[in-house]
Amino acid sequence: MTVLPCSPHSAELLALAAGLPRVPRRDLHGFFDAAHTAATALPELMGTALDAFNADGNQAGYLLLRGLPVEDDDALPTTPDRTPAPVDRPLLHLEAMLAIVGRRLGLHTGYRELRSASVYHDVYPSPGAHYLSSETSETLLEFHTEMAYHVRQPNYVMLACSRADHERKAITLVGSIRRALPLVPDDIRTHLFGRPLPCRVDVAFRGGVEDPGAIADVKPLYGDPRDPFLGYDRELLAPRDHADVEALAVLSKALDEVREPVRLVPGDVLIVDNFRTTHARTPFTPRWDGKDRWLHRVYIRTDRNGQLSGGERAGDVVDFVPRH
């Protein structure tokens, strides 16, 4: 299953959302505790699908919840143009859905250096945004496994759509290693498996240095050789050895061949398995009229893949530790 229709459960979901604190950013830990209670009361079909995806993922590497409660466009605030969101901004329907669904999966996590250490990210177009930033709009945001260079890499990236781009051109692309692996020859798999490659990091994690170079090491394939995890970033991986460059190009081509398009519309929540996929976003054209594309993003860590050590809470913020 990759698409789960949720509109039949709208009344139940709105009732669960109504039980959450109205101003989440005043006490995120308490807010996510309340969301955890609500997560246990999700409609059975939704809960079962989320638990199955959390246990073993799927071939596509994502789960799309479609038809979740969302405000009418005229009732939404203006699309943001700055980060972070005001502490007193009232809860939006899809922020509630990200809280409840996310707590069914694991723990919401903020990253100290990213987006002013906020846990909820507003994703919107910004003039002159860096080409590696999610705020870029008119250029392709290339395939990347989110924070593959970070020891505390999130297990899931969750994207909720309150407002689509005007022309409905923006497409999220997801490339799953489970679908790409059969296209990768055995010798290339063997070469890349468990092999640390030099990797640069996103702008937020560079400590104010314009480009410190490859300060992390990322293994493109690792874990179970028969069902490996993926660490891939088209812009940031920086192999030096010619054989590594060629092998990575073969993997890259395979991921391109299996990529799936997901066109987010209001009421969608996309859950991306960040240990088995890479994702991208195609260009779109903002109008700067207050009604541009507006997504909400959260990162979820679970107790798998060594992402939790014990004692963490949903809403915690972690520091940058590069992989080596």
Side-chain angles (χ1 to χ4, degrees):
M1 174 189 291
T2 56
V3 181
L4 180 64
C6 298
S7 53
H9 310 295
S10 289
E12 295 169 83
L13 294 172
L14 284 170
L16 290 176
L20 300 180
R22 293 294 85 199
V23 186
R25 291 166 182 82
R26 284 183 182 162
D27 175 13
L28 272 179
H29 285 107
F31 173 74
F32 287 127
D33 286 346
H36 185 242
T37 300
T40 64
L42 277 168
E44 183 177 1
L45 183 64
M46 288 183 63
T48 299
L50 289 166
D51 293 346
F53 184 71
N54 202 15
D56 195 40
N58 59 23
Q59 288 297 110
Y62 71 87
L63 181 64
L64 178 64
L65 309 185
R66 175 145 281 171
L68 292 165
V70 61
E71 290 84 357
D72 291 337
D73 192 72
D74 289 342
L76 281 170
T78 300
T79 295
D81 60 4
R82 66 197 65 190
T83 294
V87 172
D88 60 353
R89 190 171 83 190
L91 180 66
L92 300 173
H93 288 337
L94 284 176
E95 290 178 330
M97 295 301 103
L98 285 178
I100 296 169
V101 171
R103 286 299 282 120
R104 187 80 179 213
L105 299 171
L107 302 182
H108 299 70
T109 300
Y111 292 81
R112 184 85 54 199
E113 299 81 4
L114 185 62
R115 297 293 187 97
S116 303
S118 55
V119 176
Y120 272 111
H121 298 171
D122 291 313
V123 179
Y124 50 85
S126 180
H130 192 280
Y131 72 98
L132 294 177
S133 168
S134 60
E135 294 179 14
T136 187
S137 56
E138 298 190 59
T139 59
L140 174 68
L141 185 61
E142 285 279 16
F143 264 143
H144 59 288
T145 302
E146 202 85 12
M147 289 183 264
Y149 46 77
H150 201 309
V151 167
R152 297 184 178 95
Q153 173 186 339
N155 293 84
Y156 299 111
V157 179
M158 296 181 65
L159 296 169
C161 180
S162 274
R163 186 174 276 139
D165 61 295
H166 292 285
E167 298 168 350
R168 302 290 174 104
K169 288 174 59 179
I171 297 172
T172 301
L173 305 171
V174 183
S176 164
I177 189 57
R178 283 178 166 167
R179 289 193 167 156
L181 196 64
L183 305 180
V184 180
D186 288 345
D187 61 326
I188 300 296
R189 296 189 206 181
T190 301
H191 181 85
L192 290 176
F193 189 84
R195 186 175 182 83
L197 298 183
C199 189
R200 296 157 58 224
V201 301
D202 283 304
V203 176
F205 299 102
R206 294 179 183 177
V209 178
E210 184 173 343
D211 188 357
I215 63 174
D217 295 305
V218 169
K219 298 172 183 176
L221 301 175
Y222 60 102
D224 182 348
R226 298 164 299 178
D227 186 20
F229 298 124
L230 176 71
Y232 179 82
D233 194 303
R234 189 160 289 173
E235 294 282 358
L236 298 179
L237 278 171
R240 302 184 183 102
D241 183 84
H242 181 68
D244 293 341
V245 173
E246 289 193 336
L248 199 61
V250 173
L251 175 61
S252 181
K253 183 174 184 294
L255 290 166
D256 276 338
E257 290 183 14
V258 302
R259 68 186 187 186
E260 288 195 34
V262 180
R263 196 184 302 269
L264 295 175
V265 299
D268 281 354
V269 166
L270 175 64
I271 307 168
V272 178
D273 183 343
N274 195 46
F275 272 78
R276 296 195 189 275
T277 65
T278 186
H279 64 281
R281 195 223 59 241
T282 62
F284 64 98
T285 304
R287 296 183 186 175
W288 316 117
D289 60 356
K291 298 283 189 176
D292 279 319
R293 189 175 193 246
W294 183 10
L295 305 185
H296 314 274
R297 179 177 65 195
V298 294
Y299 297 124
I300 304 294
R301 289 188 299 152
T302 77
D303 57 4
R304 289 176 291 111
N305 309 104
Q307 299 317 102
L308 298 176
S309 55
E312 294 94 341
R313 294 181 67 187
D316 282 353
V317 175
V318 299
D319 295 313
F320 177 47
V321 181
R323 287 192 186 275
H324 288 297

